[in-house]
Amino acid sequence: MTQSHGSWTAYKNCLLYCIHRLLYALLLIFQRVYWKIAGIQSHLDGCKVGKKYESSAQLLRVWSRSKPTFLTILYQRHFLSTHVKFVHPEYSLQKHITLMTVTDKEAIFCVPSPEVNVLDVRKWPFLFEAMHQAANYILIMPVSSLIRLSKVIGEPTTKVVWIHHPGRCGSTAVAQAFNALPDVTCISEPQCCFSLNQIYKYKNFGIWDKKPEFSVRYMETFYAAICLLLKPSQTDASVIIVKGSPTVATADMKLLPKLFPKFKNIFMYREIEKQVTSIYNLLAKVELPSDVTSYIATNKILSRMFPSIRPLGFMYNSCDGKTHLEYIFKKDNVPKPCELRFFGFILNWAEICFHFREHNEQVPSSQAMPAFKYEHWLSNRMKYLQTLFRYINLELTDERYELITEVLAEDSQKGTYMGRDKTCSVEISAEMIKRANVYLQFYDLSSWGDPFTLSNTVTCH
């Protein structure tokens, strides 16, 4: 597939989304009038201020869906939906219902058909894509109801292993391996806390310093979101494996060990040249060119239709340190619009590796997070899996390995924009690499193309 074909796909998706947003705006006008007359709006207003907990969750039927890009974070505006009824927040505890998005005001759940399993990594390598495709209904409740419900169900009692990673490092293949085992539940790249993360970040720039204390409300909501993601209906498994999302990996590494000390946390990574080249080649063809996103972001009308499109957004979202933000957004350090995506990937990899290293420096050695390197997976997959299973106290029997081998024979990201058949080649110039090394030097990380191994990397041989 050529880059131009990929760009056409991106333009087509945005055009369809423009039509969707127009229909959504018309539906919203009608709903505001009807909901006010029918008393639905007054009920919602009461729920938002903490009243009527028992009926504070709104179930809406999905008639149509659209999003401008593959990686778009899902909100209500991405679904044309109509009111069905108000239900108890515990409605969300049904096994087939999954938490989709949490903001500082509300939580949105995906409600597919009961027979559909959006956690099936073999069918849907990424949970955010599964929920967008499979949602027959969406369930929305105020954050206050989410927090109250989390106190009812409590923390998960099942063993939880959380995989932190920067992407394109074998994490999806590992998720497929665990998904093949009947006594394991695998959740692949939930992005439910992304919006929460960014909202508090934009509102509270000053608190994003080296310390992981974000705010009491933020942490309370984050804790509730994780409890609902790993709700009691998952306890029929002996272990829950969560392959986190690279977009929130730094926040996850800061908060999960503190809020959920019983969780096992592991880190997966790959040397930067291979990792960034891989993801840059893939996403360059499915995302709009950076100069186009710059135009959208500065246009009064288009910026309202595409509020998530911010040329510097990925760099800002990836950066989780106040001093780092100040450095990155100095005038001389901001890259050209046409190079923003590439440097966003550089920054994302650097931030995640930096905060992994920082975490291990700040905790006792017994609490240090182990790292698994993709290059070791390539050299000896069997030893890699044996070491990984041993760390999480699972036995890799011959029967289990046979199931895993069968699954890994397939493309772990088939059916997505990241499948092996979708790869194209995009030029990375010497000047881009030179500038990337300036960023890497700031983070005290190895230069582009140099061998790189993080401390506490597990030897798999």
mmCIF file of all heavy atoms in Angstrom, residues 30-66:
data_model
loop_
_atom_site.group_PDB
_atom_site.id
_atom_site.type_symbol
_atom_site.label_atom_id
_atom_site.label_comp_id
_atom_site.label_asym_id
_atom_site.label_seq_id
_atom_site.Cartn_x
_atom_site.Cartn_y
_atom_site.Cartn_z
ATOM 1 N N PHE A 30 -32.618 18.470 18.177
ATOM 2 C CA PHE A 30 -33.912 17.833 18.400
ATOM 3 C C PHE A 30 -33.987 17.230 19.806
ATOM 4 O O PHE A 30 -35.000 17.365 20.503
ATOM 5 C CB PHE A 30 -34.138 16.746 17.347
ATOM 6 C CG PHE A 30 -35.331 15.882 17.615
ATOM 7 C CD1 PHE A 30 -36.623 16.327 17.333
ATOM 8 C CD2 PHE A 30 -35.186 14.619 18.178
ATOM 9 C CE1 PHE A 30 -37.730 15.534 17.587
ATOM 10 C CE2 PHE A 30 -36.281 13.816 18.446
ATOM 11 C CZ PHE A 30 -37.565 14.277 18.147
ATOM 12 N N GLN A 31 -32.899 16.560 20.222
ATOM 13 C CA GLN A 31 -32.907 15.898 21.529
ATOM 14 C C GLN A 31 -33.035 16.903 22.665
ATOM 15 O O GLN A 31 -33.725 16.639 23.653
ATOM 16 C CB GLN A 31 -31.635 15.068 21.698
ATOM 17 C CG GLN A 31 -31.677 13.745 20.971
ATOM 18 C CD GLN A 31 -30.463 12.883 21.277
ATOM 19 O OE1 GLN A 31 -29.431 13.384 21.713
ATOM 20 N NE2 GLN A 31 -30.587 11.590 21.045
ATOM 21 N N ARG A 32 -32.390 18.052 22.552
ATOM 22 C CA ARG A 32 -32.456 19.046 23.625
ATOM 23 C C ARG A 32 -33.890 19.514 23.848
ATOM 24 O O ARG A 32 -34.330 19.720 24.975
ATOM 25 C CB ARG A 32 -31.543 20.227 23.292
ATOM 26 C CG ARG A 32 -30.075 19.931 23.522
ATOM 27 C CD ARG A 32 -29.201 21.116 23.168
ATOM 28 N NE ARG A 32 -27.799 20.842 23.491
ATOM 29 C CZ ARG A 32 -26.794 21.671 23.198
ATOM 30 N NH1 ARG A 32 -27.056 22.824 22.588
ATOM 31 N NH2 ARG A 32 -25.568 21.345 23.512
ATOM 32 N N VAL A 33 -34.616 19.671 22.738
ATOM 33 C CA VAL A 33 -36.008 20.094 22.847
ATOM 34 C C VAL A 33 -36.858 18.969 23.430
ATOM 35 O O VAL A 33 -37.625 19.162 24.385
ATOM 36 C CB VAL A 33 -36.557 20.525 21.469
ATOM 37 C CG1 VAL A 33 -38.050 20.844 21.564
ATOM 38 C CG2 VAL A 33 -35.776 21.723 20.934
ATOM 39 N N TYR A 34 -36.711 17.774 22.847
ATOM 40 C CA TYR A 34 -37.530 16.635 23.278
ATOM 41 C C TYR A 34 -37.224 16.231 24.721
ATOM 42 O O TYR A 34 -38.135 15.986 25.519
ATOM 43 C CB TYR A 34 -37.311 15.451 22.339
ATOM 44 C CG TYR A 34 -38.000 14.181 22.809
ATOM 45 C CD1 TYR A 34 -39.392 14.057 22.748
ATOM 46 C CD2 TYR A 34 -37.254 13.128 23.349
ATOM 47 C CE1 TYR A 34 -40.029 12.907 23.188
ATOM 48 C CE2 TYR A 34 -37.879 11.982 23.804
ATOM 49 C CZ TYR A 34 -39.256 11.880 23.713
ATOM 50 O OH TYR A 34 -39.885 10.755 24.174
ATOM 51 N N TRP A 35 -35.928 16.184 25.080
ATOM 52 C CA TRP A 35 -35.551 15.769 26.425
ATOM 53 C C TRP A 35 -36.054 16.758 27.469
ATOM 54 O O TRP A 35 -36.428 16.366 28.573
ATOM 55 C CB TRP A 35 -34.032 15.641 26.532
ATOM 56 C CG TRP A 35 -33.483 14.409 25.854
ATOM 57 C CD1 TRP A 35 -34.175 13.513 25.098
ATOM 58 C CD2 TRP A 35 -32.127 13.951 25.872
ATOM 59 N NE1 TRP A 35 -33.347 12.523 24.619
ATOM 60 C CE2 TRP A 35 -32.080 12.767 25.096
ATOM 61 C CE3 TRP A 35 -30.957 14.417 26.445
ATOM 62 C CZ2 TRP A 35 -30.901 12.057 24.896
ATOM 63 C CZ3 TRP A 35 -29.778 13.715 26.253
ATOM 64 C CH2 TRP A 35 -29.743 12.540 25.485
ATOM 65 N N LYS A 36 -36.098 18.049 27.110
ATOM 66 C CA LYS A 36 -36.602 19.042 28.058
ATOM 67 C C LYS A 36 -38.103 18.866 28.273
ATOM 68 O O LYS A 36 -38.606 18.915 29.406
ATOM 69 C CB LYS A 36 -36.292 20.443 27.548
ATOM 70 C CG LYS A 36 -36.613 21.533 28.554
ATOM 71 C CD LYS A 36 -36.106 22.887 28.085
ATOM 72 C CE LYS A 36 -36.376 23.951 29.141
ATOM 73 N NZ LYS A 36 -35.839 25.287 28.739
ATOM 74 N N ILE A 37 -38.839 18.615 27.180
ATOM 75 C CA ILE A 37 -40.279 18.423 27.278
ATOM 76 C C ILE A 37 -40.616 17.146 28.029
ATOM 77 O O ILE A 37 -41.531 17.107 28.868
ATOM 78 C CB ILE A 37 -40.909 18.393 25.868
ATOM 79 C CG1 ILE A 37 -40.745 19.750 25.183
ATOM 80 C CG2 ILE A 37 -42.393 18.012 25.937
ATOM 81 C CD1 ILE A 37 -41.157 19.769 23.733
ATOM 82 N N ALA A 38 -39.867 16.068 27.749
ATOM 83 C CA ALA A 38 -40.151 14.755 28.332
ATOM 84 C C ALA A 38 -39.624 14.594 29.749
ATOM 85 O O ALA A 38 -39.866 13.559 30.386
ATOM 86 C CB ALA A 38 -39.572 13.663 27.438
ATOM 87 N N GLY A 39 -38.875 15.576 30.246
ATOM 88 C CA GLY A 39 -38.338 15.488 31.602
ATOM 89 C C GLY A 39 -37.025 14.735 31.710
ATOM 90 O O GLY A 39 -36.492 14.553 32.811
ATOM 91 N N ILE A 40 -36.498 14.307 30.564
ATOM 92 C CA ILE A 40 -35.230 13.560 30.566
ATOM 93 C C ILE A 40 -34.075 14.464 30.997
ATOM 94 O O ILE A 40 -33.206 14.065 31.782
ATOM 95 C CB ILE A 40 -34.957 12.960 29.164
ATOM 96 C CG1 ILE A 40 -36.033 11.927 28.814
ATOM 97 C CG2 ILE A 40 -33.566 12.322 29.104
ATOM 98 C CD1 ILE A 40 -35.950 11.415 27.384
ATOM 99 N N GLN A 41 -34.082 15.700 30.509
ATOM 100 C CA GLN A 41 -32.988 16.616 30.820
ATOM 101 C C GLN A 41 -32.953 16.968 32.304
ATOM 102 O O GLN A 41 -31.880 17.057 32.906
ATOM 103 C CB GLN A 41 -33.104 17.886 29.990
ATOM 104 C CG GLN A 41 -31.903 18.804 30.088
ATOM 105 C CD GLN A 41 -30.624 18.124 29.618
ATOM 106 O OE1 GLN A 41 -30.566 17.570 28.524
ATOM 107 N NE2 GLN A 41 -29.586 18.150 30.462
ATOM 108 N N SER A 42 -34.107 17.181 32.908
ATOM 109 C CA SER A 42 -34.140 17.514 34.338
ATOM 110 C C SER A 42 -33.617 16.352 35.171
ATOM 111 O O SER A 42 -32.941 16.548 36.191
ATOM 112 C CB SER A 42 -35.562 17.876 34.764
ATOM 113 O OG SER A 42 -36.445 16.772 34.582
ATOM 114 N N HIS A 43 -33.914 15.116 34.731
ATOM 115 C CA HIS A 43 -33.378 13.935 35.430
ATOM 116 C C HIS A 43 -31.852 13.907 35.300
ATOM 117 O O HIS A 43 -31.145 13.653 36.279
ATOM 118 C CB HIS A 43 -33.989 12.657 34.850
ATOM 119 C CG HIS A 43 -33.611 11.423 35.601
ATOM 120 N ND1 HIS A 43 -34.408 10.871 36.585
ATOM 121 C CD2 HIS A 43 -32.500 10.628 35.543
ATOM 122 C CE1 HIS A 43 -33.812 9.798 37.085
ATOM 123 N NE2 HIS A 43 -32.653 9.635 36.457
ATOM 124 N N LEU A 44 -31.334 14.176 34.099
ATOM 125 C CA LEU A 44 -29.888 14.197 33.878
ATOM 126 C C LEU A 44 -29.221 15.272 34.730
ATOM 127 O O LEU A 44 -28.150 15.042 35.305
ATOM 128 C CB LEU A 44 -29.582 14.452 32.395
ATOM 129 C CG LEU A 44 -29.796 13.292 31.436
ATOM 130 C CD1 LEU A 44 -29.661 13.756 29.988
ATOM 131 C CD2 LEU A 44 -28.820 12.162 31.715
ATOM 132 N N ASP A 45 -29.853 16.440 34.802
ATOM 133 C CA ASP A 45 -29.291 17.528 35.602
ATOM 134 C C ASP A 45 -29.186 17.138 37.075
ATOM 135 O O ASP A 45 -28.199 17.463 37.751
ATOM 136 C CB ASP A 45 -30.157 18.781 35.450
ATOM 137 C CG ASP A 45 -30.104 19.370 34.042
ATOM 138 O OD1 ASP A 45 -29.141 19.046 33.319
ATOM 139 O OD2 ASP A 45 -31.020 20.121 33.683
ATOM 140 N N GLY A 46 -30.187 16.416 37.557
ATOM 141 C CA GLY A 46 -30.147 15.951 38.945
ATOM 142 C C GLY A 46 -29.044 14.933 39.161
ATOM 143 O O GLY A 46 -28.345 14.957 40.187
ATOM 144 N N CYS A 47 -28.853 14.052 38.177
ATOM 145 C CA CYS A 47 -27.800 13.033 38.282
ATOM 146 C C CYS A 47 -26.414 13.664 38.316
ATOM 147 O O CYS A 47 -25.514 13.196 39.023
ATOM 148 C CB CYS A 47 -27.894 12.059 37.112
ATOM 149 S SG CYS A 47 -29.407 11.078 37.069
ATOM 150 N N LYS A 48 -26.227 14.735 37.557
ATOM 151 C CA LYS A 48 -24.918 15.372 37.456
ATOM 152 C C LYS A 48 -24.472 16.005 38.771
ATOM 153 O O LYS A 48 -23.272 16.207 38.988
ATOM 154 C CB LYS A 48 -24.934 16.429 36.350
ATOM 155 C CG LYS A 48 -25.016 15.831 34.948
ATOM 156 C CD LYS A 48 -25.137 16.917 33.887
ATOM 157 C CE LYS A 48 -25.260 16.312 32.501
ATOM 158 N NZ LYS A 48 -25.444 17.348 31.453
ATOM 159 N N VAL A 49 -25.427 16.324 39.630
ATOM 160 C CA VAL A 49 -25.072 16.933 40.919
ATOM 161 C C VAL A 49 -25.158 15.918 42.059
ATOM 162 O O VAL A 49 -25.244 16.286 43.230
ATOM 163 C CB VAL A 49 -25.977 18.156 41.218
ATOM 164 C CG1 VAL A 49 -25.716 19.248 40.217
ATOM 165 C CG2 VAL A 49 -27.461 17.766 41.227
ATOM 166 N N GLY A 50 -25.128 14.638 41.690
ATOM 167 C CA GLY A 50 -25.059 13.593 42.704
ATOM 168 C C GLY A 50 -26.379 13.073 43.214
ATOM 169 O O GLY A 50 -26.414 12.269 44.157
ATOM 170 N N LYS A 51 -27.495 13.471 42.613
ATOM 171 C CA LYS A 51 -28.802 12.993 43.044
ATOM 172 C C LYS A 51 -29.219 11.777 42.208
ATOM 173 O O LYS A 51 -28.652 11.502 41.165
ATOM 174 C CB LYS A 51 -29.848 14.106 42.904
ATOM 175 C CG LYS A 51 -29.552 15.346 43.740
ATOM 176 C CD LYS A 51 -30.606 16.419 43.492
ATOM 177 C CE LYS A 51 -30.316 17.679 44.303
ATOM 178 N NZ LYS A 51 -31.309 18.751 44.056
ATOM 179 N N LYS A 52 -30.224 11.043 42.689
ATOM 180 C CA LYS A 52 -30.840 9.939 41.948
ATOM 181 C C LYS A 52 -29.811 8.893 41.514
ATOM 182 O O LYS A 52 -29.789 8.455 40.365
ATOM 183 C CB LYS A 52 -31.587 10.485 40.725
ATOM 184 C CG LYS A 52 -32.628 11.538 41.073
ATOM 185 C CD LYS A 52 -33.304 12.107 39.839
ATOM 186 C CE LYS A 52 -34.298 13.201 40.218
ATOM 187 N NZ LYS A 52 -34.970 13.803 39.046
ATOM 188 N N TYR A 53 -28.940 8.492 42.439
ATOM 189 C CA TYR A 53 -27.894 7.524 42.104
ATOM 190 C C TYR A 53 -28.463 6.252 41.498
ATOM 191 O O TYR A 53 -27.910 5.703 40.538
ATOM 192 C CB TYR A 53 -27.080 7.187 43.357
ATOM 193 C CG TYR A 53 -26.146 6.005 43.168
ATOM 194 C CD1 TYR A 53 -24.972 6.132 42.433
ATOM 195 C CD2 TYR A 53 -26.446 4.750 43.730
ATOM 196 C CE1 TYR A 53 -24.119 5.055 42.245
ATOM 197 C CE2 TYR A 53 -25.594 3.671 43.551
ATOM 198 C CZ TYR A 53 -24.439 3.821 42.808
ATOM 199 O OH TYR A 53 -23.609 2.753 42.617
ATOM 200 N N GLU A 54 -29.557 5.762 42.039
ATOM 201 C CA GLU A 54 -30.112 4.483 41.603
ATOM 202 C C GLU A 54 -30.548 4.486 40.142
ATOM 203 O O GLU A 54 -30.730 3.427 39.545
ATOM 204 C CB GLU A 54 -31.295 4.075 42.492
ATOM 205 C CG GLU A 54 -30.917 3.666 43.911
ATOM 206 C CD GLU A 54 -30.546 4.860 44.786
ATOM 207 O OE1 GLU A 54 -30.846 6.013 44.375
ATOM 208 O OE2 GLU A 54 -29.968 4.653 45.869
ATOM 209 N N SER A 55 -30.753 5.646 39.553
ATOM 210 C CA SER A 55 -31.141 5.716 38.135
ATOM 211 C C SER A 55 -30.292 6.751 37.404
ATOM 212 O O SER A 55 -30.765 7.452 36.511
ATOM 213 C CB SER A 55 -32.633 6.080 38.010
ATOM 214 O OG SER A 55 -32.901 7.323 38.640
ATOM 215 N N SER A 56 -29.021 6.817 37.770
ATOM 216 C CA SER A 56 -28.141 7.862 37.230
ATOM 217 C C SER A 56 -27.393 7.448 35.968
ATOM 218 O O SER A 56 -26.640 8.243 35.401
ATOM 219 C CB SER A 56 -27.130 8.297 38.292
ATOM 220 O OG SER A 56 -26.338 7.203 38.718
ATOM 221 N N ALA A 57 -27.568 6.212 35.512
ATOM 222 C CA ALA A 57 -26.913 5.754 34.281
ATOM 223 C C ALA A 57 -27.916 5.805 33.136
ATOM 224 O O ALA A 57 -29.018 5.270 33.239
ATOM 225 C CB ALA A 57 -26.368 4.350 34.454
ATOM 226 N N GLN A 58 -27.531 6.457 32.052
ATOM 227 C CA GLN A 58 -28.420 6.606 30.899
ATOM 228 C C GLN A 58 -28.013 5.633 29.797
ATOM 229 O O GLN A 58 -26.867 5.640 29.343
ATOM 230 C CB GLN A 58 -28.372 8.040 30.356
ATOM 231 C CG GLN A 58 -29.343 8.288 29.209
ATOM 232 C CD GLN A 58 -29.181 9.671 28.590
ATOM 233 O OE1 GLN A 58 -28.099 10.252 28.631
ATOM 234 N NE2 GLN A 58 -30.255 10.196 28.004
ATOM 235 N N LEU A 59 -28.956 4.807 29.362
ATOM 236 C CA LEU A 59 -28.719 3.865 28.275
ATOM 237 C C LEU A 59 -29.213 4.486 26.975
ATOM 238 O O LEU A 59 -30.368 4.918 26.886
ATOM 239 C CB LEU A 59 -29.455 2.551 28.541
ATOM 240 C CG LEU A 59 -29.196 1.407 27.543
ATOM 241 C CD1 LEU A 59 -27.752 0.916 27.658
ATOM 242 C CD2 LEU A 59 -30.172 0.256 27.779
ATOM 243 N N LEU A 60 -28.320 4.537 25.972
ATOM 244 C CA LEU A 60 -28.667 5.116 24.676
ATOM 245 C C LEU A 60 -28.433 4.104 23.570
ATOM 246 O O LEU A 60 -27.412 3.395 23.564
ATOM 247 C CB LEU A 60 -27.834 6.365 24.400
ATOM 248 C CG LEU A 60 -27.983 7.518 25.391
ATOM 249 C CD1 LEU A 60 -26.677 7.738 26.135
ATOM 250 C CD2 LEU A 60 -28.414 8.784 24.692
ATOM 251 N N ARG A 61 -29.366 4.022 22.649
ATOM 252 C CA ARG A 61 -29.226 3.102 21.520
ATOM 253 C C ARG A 61 -28.388 3.743 20.425
ATOM 254 O O ARG A 61 -28.595 4.900 20.057
ATOM 255 C CB ARG A 61 -30.600 2.720 20.960
ATOM 256 C CG ARG A 61 -30.515 1.735 19.801
ATOM 257 C CD ARG A 61 -31.860 1.245 19.352
ATOM 258 N NE ARG A 61 -31.728 0.310 18.240
ATOM 259 C CZ ARG A 61 -32.746 -0.295 17.639
ATOM 260 N NH1 ARG A 61 -33.993 -0.074 18.060
ATOM 261 N NH2 ARG A 61 -32.548 -1.128 16.633
ATOM 262 N N VAL A 62 -27.439 2.993 19.883
ATOM 263 C CA VAL A 62 -26.550 3.485 18.825
ATOM 264 C C VAL A 62 -27.145 3.146 17.462
ATOM 265 O O VAL A 62 -27.430 1.983 17.168
ATOM 266 C CB VAL A 62 -25.144 2.868 18.960
ATOM 267 C CG1 VAL A 62 -24.279 3.249 17.763
ATOM 268 C CG2 VAL A 62 -24.479 3.322 20.257
ATOM 269 N N TRP A 63 -27.327 4.158 16.637
ATOM 270 C CA TRP A 63 -27.861 3.965 15.288
ATOM 271 C C TRP A 63 -26.767 4.048 14.229
ATOM 272 O O TRP A 63 -26.881 3.434 13.165
ATOM 273 C CB TRP A 63 -28.931 5.017 14.997
ATOM 274 C CG TRP A 63 -30.108 4.921 15.914
ATOM 275 C CD1 TRP A 63 -30.332 5.634 17.060
ATOM 276 C CD2 TRP A 63 -31.223 4.028 15.804
ATOM 277 N NE1 TRP A 63 -31.506 5.257 17.665
ATOM 278 C CE2 TRP A 63 -32.079 4.270 16.907
ATOM 279 C CE3 TRP A 63 -31.588 3.053 14.877
ATOM 280 C CZ2 TRP A 63 -33.270 3.576 17.105
ATOM 281 C CZ3 TRP A 63 -32.779 2.356 15.064
ATOM 282 C CH2 TRP A 63 -33.612 2.622 16.170
ATOM 283 N N SER A 64 -25.743 4.821 14.515
ATOM 284 C CA SER A 64 -24.646 4.982 13.563
ATOM 285 C C SER A 64 -23.408 5.429 14.323
ATOM 286 O O SER A 64 -23.508 5.897 15.455
ATOM 287 C CB SER A 64 -25.022 6.010 12.495
ATOM 288 O OG SER A 64 -23.964 6.201 11.576
ATOM 289 N N ARG A 65 -22.257 5.275 13.707
ATOM 290 C CA ARG A 65 -20.996 5.639 14.372
ATOM 291 C C ARG A 65 -19.998 6.136 13.343
ATOM 292 O O ARG A 65 -20.038 5.733 12.170
ATOM 293 C CB ARG A 65 -20.432 4.441 15.128
ATOM 294 C CG ARG A 65 -19.866 3.338 14.230
ATOM 295 C CD ARG A 65 -20.011 1.973 14.845
ATOM 296 N NE ARG A 65 -21.398 1.550 14.854
ATOM 297 C CZ ARG A 65 -21.953 0.819 15.830
ATOM 298 N NH1 ARG A 65 -21.222 0.409 16.841
ATOM 299 N NH2 ARG A 65 -23.224 0.482 15.770
ATOM 300 N N SER A 66 -19.091 6.981 13.762
ATOM 301 C CA SER A 66 -18.036 7.457 12.876
ATOM 302 C C SER A 66 -16.944 8.104 13.712
ATOM 303 O O SER A 66 -17.212 8.683 14.771
ATOM 304 C CB SER A 66 -18.593 8.482 11.876
ATOM 305 O OG SER A 66 -17.569 8.939 11.004
#
